């Protein structure tokens, strides 16, 4: 299960909840890691920032985020 908040959020607000279940905890942890990696690289709503001058910008994912998804290929 993934619950992702959207709209105006502030520093330290909880943004995402990922819940997984499996017979083996490693599989559950791997599933949660996969979901977080997918959100960080594929979900554009994750990446919009409002700037101090009333402008907004979309933030690209980092190279390290893309590298993390390589393990799922």
């Amino acid at each position: 299960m993934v619950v992702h908040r959207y709209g105006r959020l502030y520093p330290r607000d909880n943004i995402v909840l990922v819940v997984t279940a499996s017979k083996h905890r490693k599989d559950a942890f791997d599933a949660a890691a996969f979901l977080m990696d997918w959100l960080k690289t594929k979900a554009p709503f994750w990446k919009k920032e409002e700037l101090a001058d009333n402008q907004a910008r979309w933030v690209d994912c980092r190279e390290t985020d893309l590298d993390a998804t390589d393990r799922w290929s």
Side-chain angles (χ1 to χ4, degrees):
M1 171 179 63
V2 176
V3 176
H4 195 293
R5 292 181 60 195
Y6 60 93
R8 181 165 287 162
L9 299 170
Y10 298 94
R12 301 180 202 224
D13 280 354
N14 292 322
I15 298 171
V16 65
L17 170 69
V18 173
V19 178
T20 60
S22 176
K23 289 182 180 183
H24 302 284
R25 77 174 153 241
K26 182 182 182 318
D27 294 336
F29 289 142
D30 286 347
F34 170 81
L35 289 167
M36 289 302 299
D37 288 341
W38 189 89
L39 286 170
K40 289 182 80 173
T41 58
K42 305 287 189 225
F45 58 84
W46 183 283
K47 303 291 185 180
K48 188 174 183 182
E49 289 183 342
E50 292 182 358
L51 305 174
D53 57 0
N54 283 339
Q55 293 186 358
R57 70 176 177 159
W58 291 97
V59 179
D60 292 328
C61 61
R62 293 183 221 133
E63 192 66 32
T64 55
D65 296 330
L66 292 172
D67 292 342
T69 63
D70 288 345
R71 64 182 165 163
W72 309 115
S73 299

